[in-house]
Amino acid sequence: MDYINITIDDNELSARAGQTILRIAGRNGIDIPTLCNDERVKPYGACGLCVVEVEGNPKLVRACSTVATDGMVIHTMSDRIARTRKMVLELILSDHSGDCRGPCTLNCPAGTDCQSYVKEIAEGDYRSAVKIIRDKIPLPSSVGRICPHPCETACRRNLVDEPVSICSLKQFASDQDYATGAPYVPPVAPSTGKKVCVIGAGVAGMTIAYFLRIKGHEITILDAMPKNGGMFRYGIPNYRLPKDVLDQEIDILKRMGITFKNNIMVGKDITLSELRASYDAVVVAIGAWKDSELRCPGADLEGVIGGIELLSGIGLGNVPDIGENVAVVGGGNTAMDACRSAIRLGAKNVYVIYRRTKDEMPAEDIEILEAEEEGVQFKFLTNPAQIIGKDGKVSAIKLQVMELGEADESGRRRPIPIEGKFETLEVDSVIAAIGHVLRDNGFEQLEKSPKGNIEAGISSFRTSSDGIFAVGEATNKGASIAIEAIGEARRAVQQIDAYLYGGTSFYKTPFYSEKKVSEKDLEDRKKIPRHYMSKRSVQIAKKDFLEINNTFTEEEARDEAKRCLECGCADYGDCTLIKRANQMSIKPARLDGVHHDTFKEQTLDIIERDMGKCLLCGLCVRICEEDAAQGLLGLVGRGFNTIVRPEFRNKKSIAICKDCKKCVDACPTGALRICE
C-alpha cells in the first residue's frame, strides 16, 4: 500500500495515497468544516465550506473532493479562507427558512427550552421535563407561579387562538416531581477546591450558587434575613407563592451541598474585605430592598409606608396597622401585591393611585384583573399632590388629576397635571409602591452608577474590587423580573468560573435562524381552547393568604401541552449548519434576496421533508443511492428551482424507506425528520 507525506497547518503527516485532504485531516484530529461530506458516499463538493489553501495553487480548493498528493502543504485557516466560508454560510442562511429554537425559548430571558419540556409533559414524562427546566432554572415551582411569562407573549399559538400555558406547565411538572418524595437533584461535578461566597439568598444569588455548585465549586450563601428566598419570600405574598413550595426548592440546593448562613449582615457582622480574603471570589446579589420615596408634602407622616416594607413585614410577621382605608400609589406588580395584601389584612376600602391609565400599567393583566375582582378601586390619571395629616398621622390624600400627553422615553404617554383639578380621599395609610432601590450599607467600597446601583460590567459582572462580582437588582439598571435575574446570573457564572481558573470568558450571543410566520401560514391549524388553572372562590380567597390557584390535573396538563405547535427545530442539537454558523460572526440578512418556495410534505411516509431547511447538499440523494442502494431520491429541476423529490416505484419501496431512515441520519440541518 502506497503512502504519501503531506503537511497540514505545520503538522507533518503520513497518509495512505488516494485519500482526500478532508479525510486525512479528519483522521488526524484537524477540523475542516463541511456540510455535504459523509464517508459512506463519494465526494461531491456541493457546499463549498471545506475550502483550504494549497501552496503553489492560486485558487482555494475543496478539501472534500481534492485528493492529497505527496509533498502537498495545506493551510486550513487564513483571512481568505475565513471570508469564503463566511460567505458560504451567509448565502445558505439567507435562504434558510426554519426556526432553530421556538419563539418561546428565544423570548425567555433564561433561555429555557420550553418546547422540549412541554413535549415531555405531553408524553407524561414529568421527570424528564424537570431535568430540562432545571438545566436553566433552579427554582421551577416558584418561577412557574410568579413569572410574567414572556415565553407566552411570543408563543406562535397566539396566531391560532391563545398561547400555550407554558408557565403553568412548568409549575405542574415541578410540583409533580416534588410530589414523588424523591425529586430530581442535579448532579454535581467533583470538587474543584475553589470557594465562593454569595451574598444574598434571593433568586439571583441562589441561581449563581446553583450553577457554580454544579461545576464543583464550594458555595456558601450569606443572607441578612432569618430565612432564605429574598424577595421570593419577603416580597411576594403567600397567596401567589406559598412558602412551603419555596422551602422545597431551597432544600434541593442544600442537598446539592450549598451552605446557607442567615442573619448575617455585611458591614455589621462581617466586612466585604474580610469575605474577599476568605474566599476565591465573592458575588454580591443583595437585591434592592429600599422603597423609593414619595416626593410630595406629607410623605414623612406616620402611616406612610413602602410597598416592600409592607410585604416584608407580613413575611416576618410584623404586620403594620394600615387601618380600614388604604391608598396604594403605583402601577406595577408590587403595587398589586400591596393592594391585594391590604384587602387580606382587613382594609375595607383600598385605592390604587396611578398617574396613567389602565392600558399603561406595567403590572400583569391577571394581577390587575384579580385585584379588581377582590374589590380594589383604581383611581387612574391621578397622582399624589399632598398627604394630609392629623396629629402627625395620615388622614387623607390629595390627588392631582392628570391627562396623557405625548409619549416619553419609555414609549408610554406622559402624564400631565390638569391645572386646578384635584380630588381628595380620606385614608388611614398610604403605601408607596413606586419602585425600590439599593440599600448599600456595607458595600460602600464598590463603585456605584449615577442611579446609586453597584457598577458591574455588563458582560463581565466584575465590580471595582478585584474578585468581587455583582448581579441582579443591586446592579446597573436596577429592579427587574425574576426570570431576567436568572438569565443574568447564568451568564455571570461563566465569567466567575473563568476567573476562578485565572482566565476570562467572553459571552457571544448565538446566531439562530428564525422563520417568519403569519396567521395565514397557520390557518389550517385546529383551534383548541387553552386550559387555565382553576382558582379558589374570590370571596373566600381574599380573606386569607392561602394560594389562589389550583394546579392542573394530569389530563389538563397533557392536553394543554399537546397544543404546542413545536416551532423549534427538533434536530437543533445535532444541526451541523448552526454549529458552523456559530463558529464565526455571520450576518445573512445582508445577502437577503429572492427566496425558494418552502413547503413540507410527508411522501416518504414516516419522514417529513421541509424544503425550507434543505441546503441541496445532495447528501440524502447520495446516501439513498450509494449506501442504501435504493435510489428513491433525486434532484428535480434545474438551477435556482432545483428541489429534492422521492420517486416510489412500488409499495415495496415505501416499506424499505420505513425501515431505512439513513437519509434522516445524514441530513445536516433537520430538513428530514422522523414523524412516527
Side-chain angles (χ1 to χ4, degrees):
M1 185 177 293
D2 293 334
Y3 282 83
I4 59 172
N5 295 310
I6 66 171
T7 301
I8 303 180
D9 294 339
D10 298 325
N11 296 293
E12 295 182 359
L13 306 172
S14 178
R16 183 165 48 82
Q19 296 186 88
T20 64
I21 295 172
L22 183 66
R23 191 150 298 182
I24 295 172
R27 290 179 178 178
N28 285 277
I30 300 171
D31 181 49
I32 298 176
T34 180
L35 296 173
C36 67
N37 187 74
D38 192 300
E39 292 199 0
R40 291 173 290 180
V41 296
K42 298 173 186 176
Y44 192 63
C47 71
L49 190 61
C50 66
V51 291
V52 296
E53 290 178 344
V54 175
E55 290 189 6
N57 189 336
K59 297 181 179 180
L60 295 178
V61 303
R62 301 192 180 198
C64 70
S65 56
T66 303
V67 176
T69 58
D70 191 53
M72 187 177 273
V73 178
I74 302 152
H75 302 283
T76 68
M77 275 306 303
S78 69
D79 288 344
R80 183 167 66 143
I81 292 171
R83 287 195 304 271
T84 301
R85 290 177 181 170
K86 181 178 178 180
M87 179 66 76
V88 167
L89 286 170
E90 288 181 335
L91 282 168
I92 291 172
L93 285 162
S94 69
D95 190 32
H96 186 73
S97 178
D99 290 302
C100 288
R101 309 296 269 167
C104 50
T105 293
L106 294 182
N107 214 44
C108 173
T112 317
D113 189 354
C114 308
Q115 179 178 327
S116 291
Y117 80 70
V118 167
K119 182 177 181 179
E120 296 294 348
I121 293 170
E123 295 174 355
D125 191 346
Y126 311 132
R127 175 58 63 94
S128 292
V130 167
K131 287 182 178 180
I132 293 167
I133 298 166
R134 282 194 176 275
D135 185 55
K136 297 291 190 294
I137 297 176
L139 309 165
S141 279
S142 299
V143 171
R145 284 168 164 81
I146 60 88
C147 186
H149 43 72
C151 54
E152 294 182 21
T153 302
C155 178
R156 277 214 190 110
R157 190 88 209 180
N158 280 301
L159 299 174
V160 179
D161 36 48
E162 293 182 277
V164 175
S165 297
I166 301 170
C167 203
S168 295
L169 288 172
K170 182 192 295 103
Q171 172 192 332
F172 167 82
S174 184
D175 286 356
Q176 287 288 312
D177 192 46
Y178 283 121
T180 66
Y184 171 70
V185 180
V188 173
S191 176
T192 64
K194 305 290 184 181
K195 298 194 303 179
V196 179
C197 178
V198 179
I199 306 171
V203 63
M206 288 194 289
T207 300
I208 289 275
Y210 175 88
F211 287 108
L212 283 176
R213 181 64 189 136
I214 284 174
K215 291 179 177 293
H217 304 310
E218 183 181 324
I219 310 297
T220 300
I221 302 182
L222 307 183
D223 197 86
M225 302 298 278
K227 292 186 177 182
N228 303 303
M231 285 295 178
F232 269 19
R233 183 177 298 278
Y234 297 106
I236 298 177
N238 204 71
Y239 63 80
R240 287 180 60 204
L241 174 54
K243 300 312 173 272
D244 57 342
V245 170
L246 179 59
D247 288 337
Q248 286 185 118
E249 311 251 66
I250 294 170
D251 185 61
I252 296 292
L253 276 68
K254 291 178 178 178
R255 290 165 66 176
M256 291 169 64
I258 296 170
T259 300
F260 288 84
K261 295 183 179 181
N262 296 94
N263 294 308
I264 296 177
M265 187 171 291
V266 174
K268 178 183 176 184
D269 302 307
I270 194 168
T271 67
L272 192 56
S273 296
E274 287 172 332
L275 288 172
R276 178 65 188 93
S278 301
Y279 291 88
D280 296 298
V282 174
V283 185
V284 179
I286 56 176
W289 287 69
K290 183 180 178 182
D291 285 291
S292 298
E293 297 179 357
L294 287 174
R295 297 179 180 178
C296 67
D300 57 348
L301 287 168
E302 181 185 346
V304 178
I305 59 177
I308 297 302
E309 181 184 355
L310 172 71
L311 297 171
S312 61
I314 294 172
L316 288 164
N318 303 322
V319 183
D321 180 10
I322 59 173
E324 293 187 346
N325 303 296
V326 179
V328 178
V329 182
N333 285 332
T334 298
M336 296 304 97
D337 288 339
C339 69
R340 297 177 68 188
S341 293
I343 291 285
R344 285 161 174 76
L345 292 175
K348 293 182 180 178
N349 294 296
V350 178
Y351 307 96
V352 167
I353 313 302
Y354 185 58
R355 59 182 183 161
R356 291 184 170 94
T357 70
K358 183 177 180 179
D359 291 340
E360 285 81 32
M361 287 187 76
E364 287 186 75
D365 291 344
I366 186 64
E367 291 295 310
I368 300 169
L369 174 63
E370 291 182 352
E372 290 174 329
E373 290 175 345
E374 291 174 0
V376 174
Q377 302 172 57
F378 286 79
K379 307 292 290 185
F380 295 114
L381 291 171
T382 62
N383 199 44
Q386 179 185 0
I387 300 172
I388 302 167
K390 184 177 182 181
D391 299 326
K393 192 178 185 309
V394 172
S395 62
I397 184 169
K398 183 179 180 181
L399 304 177
Q400 170 72 66
V401 179
M402 316 289 283
E403 63 181 354
L404 294 182
E406 298 298 320
D408 61 14
E409 60 276 4
S410 72
R412 295 177 298 172
R413 293 174 65 191
R414 188 186 303 277
I416 301 171
I418 300 177
E419 189 174 350
K421 194 168 184 179
F422 297 93
E423 180 180 353
T424 300
L425 299 174
E426 292 186 1
V427 294
D428 302 308
S429 59
V430 176
I431 301 169
I434 56 174
H436 39 113
V437 296
L438 171 69
R439 184 186 289 123
D440 77 338
N441 304 47
F443 299 89
E444 292 86 355
Q445 75 183 66
L446 302 180
E447 189 175 317
K448 307 299 189 302
S449 70
K451 290 185 177 181
N453 297 320
I454 296 170
E455 195 75 71
I458 298 298
S459 58
S460 71
F461 302 94
R462 297 191 181 204
T463 67
S464 55
S465 294
D466 180 57
I468 300 180
F469 298 79
V471 297
E473 294 190 333
T475 67
N476 301 328
K477 66 179 182 180
S480 185
I481 59 176
I483 196 69
E484 286 188 0
I486 290 172
E488 182 181 274
R490 285 189 59 250
R491 294 193 299 276
V493 165
Q494 183 178 333
Q495 304 296 331
I496 298 164
D497 183 60
Y499 173 83
L500 292 172
Y501 291 106
T504 302
S505 177
F506 297 96
Y507 177 78
K508 178 185 174 184
T509 303
F511 172 83
Y512 296 111
S513 173
E514 298 181 55
K515 187 176 182 179
K516 295 179 181 178
V517 177
S518 66
E519 290 184 17
K520 184 173 178 60
D521 295 318
L522 299 174
E523 62 185 4
D524 61 328
R525 303 302 175 104
K526 181 181 178 182
K527 287 180 168 54
I528 305 171
R530 168 178 163 130
H531 282 281
Y532 289 89
M533 285 186 173
S534 62
K535 301 176 183 293
R536 297 169 62 216
S537 162
V538 172
Q539 296 307 314
I540 295 174
K542 72 178 186 178
K543 295 178 181 178
D544 59 45
F545 281 87
L546 298 178
E547 186 169 17
I548 290 177
N549 292 330
N550 301 312
T551 191
F552 283 140
T553 64
E554 286 197 56
E555 182 180 5
E556 289 171 337
R558 294 184 67 174
D559 285 347
E560 179 60 20
K562 289 173 183 176
R563 295 178 66 241
C564 177
L565 298 173
E566 298 187 39
C567 305
C569 181
D571 288 335
Y572 170 77
D574 299 319
C575 180
T576 307
L577 176 62
I578 199 64
K579 174 186 174 184
R580 295 304 184 183
N582 277 306
Q583 289 174 345
M584 56 189 75
S585 298
I586 61 170
K587 297 180 179 179
R590 72 186 185 91
L591 300 177
D592 195 34
V594 178
H595 291 251
H596 283 93
D597 290 335
T598 62
F599 60 87
K600 290 182 181 180
E601 64 179 13
Q602 207 170 317
T603 50
L604 294 177
D605 203 18
I606 65 164
I607 300 173
E608 178 185 85
R609 296 187 308 115
D610 186 343
M611 288 307 298
K613 298 179 182 178
C614 181
L615 309 182
L616 293 177
C617 67
L619 255 181
C620 57
V621 176
R622 291 179 289 136
I623 286 286
C624 187
E625 176 71 31
E626 299 175 33
D627 189 45
Q630 298 302 319
L632 301 177
L633 294 173
L635 294 168
V636 178
R638 296 177 64 85
F640 186 77
N641 295 317
T642 302
I643 59 172
V644 175
R645 283 282 192 192
E647 182 187 349
F648 290 138
R649 291 179 287 274
N650 50 53
K651 291 184 179 180
K652 184 180 178 182
S653 298
I654 299 176
I656 291 170
C657 185
K658 273 188 175 183
D659 297 328
C660 176
K661 306 172 189 172
K662 288 183 178 181
C663 59
V664 177
D665 177 57
C667 181
T669 67
L672 299 176
R673 182 174 75 95
I674 302 292
C675 48
E676 292 179 284

